[in-house]
Amino acid sequence: MSITMDTTLASLVTNKRRVSALKSLGIVTVGDALTYYPFRVTEPVPLRAIREAAPGQQMAFAAVIRDMRVVPMNARRGYRLEATVDDADFARSRRVPGSTARLTFFSYRKSYVDWVSMRLRAGTSVVVSGMPSEYMGQLQFTHPEILTVAPGSAGTGAGLEGYARGAASGNGAFAGSTDPYASAQSAYPPAAAAPSGAALKYDADTVQEALTRVCRPRPVYHASSRISSEHIHETILGLLWMMGARTSSTPDGQLAGAGSADIVAPTTDTIAVQNGEEKSGTTAESGAEALSQSIPDVLPESVRKAKNLMHRAEAFLAIHDPASTARFKEAIETLRYEEAFVSQTSLLKARSHAHKSAAHSCPLVTDSLRDQFIASLPFSLTAGQQQVIHDIAADLAHDWPMQRLLQGEVGSGKTVVALAAMLQAVDAGYQAVLVAPTQVLAEQHAETIGRMVEQLKPAIPVTLLTGGMKLAARRKALAAAASGEPGIIVATHAAFSKTFQAPHLALVVIDEQHRFGVEQRESLNAKTDDGTTPHLLVMTATPIPRTAAMTWFGDLDISWLTELPGGRKPIRTVVVNEADAATMGRMFAHIRARVDAGERAYIVCPRIDADDEENEGGSGVSSAAGSARGRAAASGSSARTAAGGRATRAAADAIGIDDPYETFDENGETVARPPLHAVAEIADRLQKLPQFQGIRFATLTGRDKDDVKTQVMADFAGGETPILVSTTVIEVGVDVKQASCIVIFDADRYGLSQLHQLRGRVGRGGTNSWAFLISRAEPGSPAEQRLEVIHHSLDGAEIAQADLEFRGAGDVLGDAQSGGKSSLKLLRVVKDADMIADARTRAEQLLAADPELAGEVQLAGAVLDFTRGNETFLTSS
């Protein structure tokens, strides 16, 4: 069986429980496993004899078990297991007297104690790694790592005396030698025979092997309650062995060879070893060659040599089985550059593809509808709006499709700019479509646009098309679009359905672009009957730092709206500790006073009801992230994702945090956090407070039907229900000018960009406004530091930059919201700006010589995978 990056783990890993646990982390294929990068690597553990031990300093040594006993702890329940070890032979190799120490284990589980007892029988050779302490005058190791060594194993050398000779010649462990344990093997007396019927298995065949494993730097992975970092590492090493790796990457840059430490062959209990894949069946040299064949390089050879980077297979090996921390970092840099190169090549190809397409030219005409509209506005356009409208007008006049991203602060006037562009297309005799992510927002856009164009001559038809419309109204809207009559169509996802036809479509405007995938956008591009591609304007109020926008939207022309129209007052942001009952009470009294003054208040919760289960062990509990990040992250993964898994649609509807930050301990295990607040729970609690006696509440969630959402928002805007408790469905585009207060529960679990978006729901009518961020973050914690950023800043770009630093690019730019699986796990937009610029320059040179990448098959495949997996970063392909 030939193993590739696409081979599923289910076909290789025999332990189905482990397969399931890995799947929950987003690891399904060999490629997923190899790109599940550790978040840190441990420092090498120094070898010391027991007499050389220093309390509180990590060490490793070889020894033999002299005696072992299990002591019941009657007062505390459970058991204490104590084993005495003697390192006489190992100490002799280090030219110090031998000594003894105690290994101590505690457990409430008898099964665990029995298992340890079986492993630590008298006479067993072991390698111990841990941190020594002193207890009752004796050196003690509490819960150390133990590797048992098989007795009587064959090999060269004379036990630890062979190791002693190496130490004497300056080749002792980590004394600069690439082969510190050459010729070392166990010389301890064999352990007592195993009990009849017991299948006793040893962790290592020789002392050399065991010492190598515990002393070498080891990667630590984000883990979960279902699978430990150690088992993740074991699985990945087993896969590398199966793909041909027999030795770790060596400091001199070779994949294998003399001086490398052997990778231990996986047991059949873990990996389904194939026929002919016996331990001794492959030489180191042929194994290295096999690994490079199984994992071909993605980067062009010329680029790799110019940048002095590792081969891809070598980099994977150095990350998951590093010979040194420096080697690990070098490998990470190699794969980070690979991500930069693939992403920039993808963006450049997308841009080139767009410029080769034909589009309807929409030049400005005398006394244009656009100019009439601008003259009719009751306010003056900002300088930024005027410049962007001018740039878009020039783009629309071309006979190739515009590809432009409009980034603007909440309330900066993007709708006015978009309408000016649509009127230019209508003036040229074509149709324009504005696509909104929700029915509520689509209805608001249709109403606003209809009101703005009602005085224009000739009259402009504005058609609303949503999935929640009654059949007769929907058919009428579809017929109006299919007629090809010049006009404006405002639609939701219904515009992506096969029944939607707009034969004279010249311009597509997408609001909040990260809510739509590439396939959906391309379905609109394919609607024209004459073979032309519509001009594309994508808009977002999600703050994106310029460096990030230049990186991920490199296939687009980018415009920024940074000025806010006059009349809007700054929003006062207050961080409130939920445990501070007095402050919480004053906040609710303040909200009641604003409601009595005729204003409105939003209360935002991340969950719909208390029965919604949070996804465990991962970077997200919503559409923003999956059951696992990472982050990525990422991540970033991220949280970033602790892993790359994704939530189900039901979970996405139930929980509205865009990417809650995971907390991990030093071993990569997720740390339990209090449950998120729910809409139903908070609405019930608030209505019982004396501050809100006589006030009507309404609730709004993603599960509500479209007609219910419309009615709820109408009642809220009209004042019948002046307090709205909702999930983050109000995040985008909801415009109620009387809303002056917003309370966000579990604010410490949101991304900063999402908090900024939510905060922008208030203060839209020129009144004083407040945002209260309710937090359960520990004082001085990273979560508290994040909230301080948004507490002190109203600048979306500054907040986005901080969000990027905290989380990583994929989460900030919407990878999570799309439900897509990011191919980017290592690249950091801010810190790696110079690397990205270099990769872009080299990608441009490559594409100039080979536009279709005919000579770089692996790179072409990686570019295709990137485009499919990162649809939020590419608006066309």
Side-chain angles (χ1 to χ4, degrees), residues 339-422:
E339 289 187 354
F341 195 87
V342 170
S343 65
Q344 293 309 302
T345 304
S346 301
L347 291 165
L348 290 168
K349 280 183 65 66
R351 190 179 184 93
S352 172
H353 176 75
H355 283 186
K356 291 177 183 177
S357 303
H360 292 297
S361 175
C362 303
L364 276 174
V365 297
T366 306
D367 191 27
S368 66
L369 288 171
R370 190 202 74 168
D371 292 341
Q372 287 184 50
F373 161 65
I374 293 173
S376 69
L377 291 172
F379 52 84
S380 298
L381 296 178
T382 65
Q385 286 174 312
Q386 294 178 30
Q387 182 61 51
V388 174
I389 288 173
H390 174 77
D391 293 342
I392 291 174
D395 288 347
L396 291 176
H398 294 146
D399 58 1
W400 65 82
M402 170 179 72
Q403 300 273 294
R404 185 170 289 276
L405 168 69
L406 176 56
Q407 147 90 64
E409 280 282 3
V410 175
S412 60
K414 295 186 297 298
T415 304
V416 169
V417 172
L419 181 52
M422 289 189 287

Side-chain angles (χ1 to χ4, degrees), residues 197-232:
L200 187 61
K201 297 177 181 177
Y202 295 94
D203 299 314
D205 289 336
T206 65
V207 171
Q208 167 196 341
E209 176 189 315
L211 287 172
T212 301
R213 284 169 59 184
V214 301
C215 291
R216 286 168 62 81
R218 279 181 295 174
V220 183
Y221 302 83
H222 285 312
S224 72
S225 59
R226 299 180 62 187
I227 186 168
S228 67
S229 173
E230 188 66 32
H231 283 157
I232 294 170

Side-chain angles (χ1 to χ4, degrees), residues 156-478:
T156 59
L160 285 171
E161 285 74 10
Y163 175 83
R165 288 195 296 274
S169 62
N171 291 330
F174 300 101
S177 168
T178 61
D179 189 16
Y181 310 111
S183 302
Q185 69 172 18
S186 175
Y188 293 124
S196 177
L200 187 61
K201 297 177 181 177
Y202 295 94
D203 299 314
D205 289 336
T206 65
V207 171
Q208 167 196 341
E209 176 189 315
L211 287 172
T212 301
R213 284 169 59 184
V214 301
C215 291
R216 286 168 62 81
R218 279 181 295 174
V220 183
Y221 302 83
H222 285 312
S224 72
S225 59
R226 299 180 62 187
I227 186 168
S228 67
S229 173
E230 188 66 32
H231 283 157
I232 294 170
H233 187 214
E234 176 186 79
T235 302
I236 293 174
L237 288 184
L239 295 172
L240 286 169
W241 193 93
M242 287 292 293
M243 298 177 82
R246 295 298 183 266
T247 58
S248 64
S249 63
T250 59
D252 62 3
Q254 301 302 314
L255 274 170
S260 298
D262 289 342
I263 290 181
V264 180
T267 67
T268 53
D269 287 346
T270 305
I271 300 291
V273 180
Q274 306 300 310
N275 293 333
E277 292 280 359
E278 302 301 329
K279 291 185 182 181
S280 59
T282 310
T283 66
E285 290 76 9
S286 64
E289 183 180 342
L291 184 64
S292 62
Q293 290 174 355
S294 299
I295 308 174
D297 217 344
V298 168
L299 288 174
E301 185 71 10
S302 59
V303 173
R304 187 169 70 84
K305 288 184 176 179
K307 297 294 294 181
N308 193 27
L309 302 173
M310 295 179 180
H311 187 282
R312 192 177 201 224
E314 183 184 359
F316 281 137
L317 204 50
I319 286 172
H320 296 296
D321 190 35
S324 66
T325 52
R327 192 72 174 151
F328 174 84
K329 292 175 183 176
E330 185 182 347
I332 289 290
E333 285 303 296
T334 291
L335 294 179
R336 184 172 285 143
Y337 190 88
E338 178 188 288
E339 289 187 354
F341 195 87
V342 170
S343 65
Q344 293 309 302
T345 304
S346 301
L347 291 165
L348 290 168
K349 280 183 65 66
R351 190 179 184 93
S352 172
H353 176 75
H355 283 186
K356 291 177 183 177
S357 303
H360 292 297
S361 175
C362 303
L364 276 174
V365 297
T366 306
D367 191 27
S368 66
L369 288 171
R370 190 202 74 168
D371 292 341
Q372 287 184 50
F373 161 65
I374 293 173
S376 69
L377 291 172
F379 52 84
S380 298
L381 296 178
T382 65
Q385 286 174 312
Q386 294 178 30
Q387 182 61 51
V388 174
I389 288 173
H390 174 77
D391 293 342
I392 291 174
D395 288 347
L396 291 176
H398 294 146
D399 58 1
W400 65 82
M402 170 179 72
Q403 300 273 294
R404 185 170 289 276
L405 168 69
L406 176 56
Q407 147 90 64
E409 280 282 3
V410 175
S412 60
K414 295 186 297 298
T415 304
V416 169
V417 172
L419 181 52
M422 289 189 287
L423 288 173
Q424 185 172 335
V426 172
D427 229 357
Y430 299 110
Q431 295 168 294
V433 173
L434 170 62
V435 186
T438 66
Q439 174 162 330
V440 169
L441 185 54
E443 290 172 345
Q444 287 188 356
H445 276 318
E447 180 183 352
T448 301
I449 290 172
R451 192 167 57 247
M452 286 180 164
V453 302
E454 62 184 358
Q455 302 300 325
L456 301 184
K457 301 296 181 183
I460 308 298
V462 178
T463 304
L464 175 65
L465 176 62
T466 71
M469 298 173 70
K470 292 185 178 179
L471 183 60
R474 181 180 172 83
R475 284 178 174 171
K476 183 178 180 181
L478 288 170

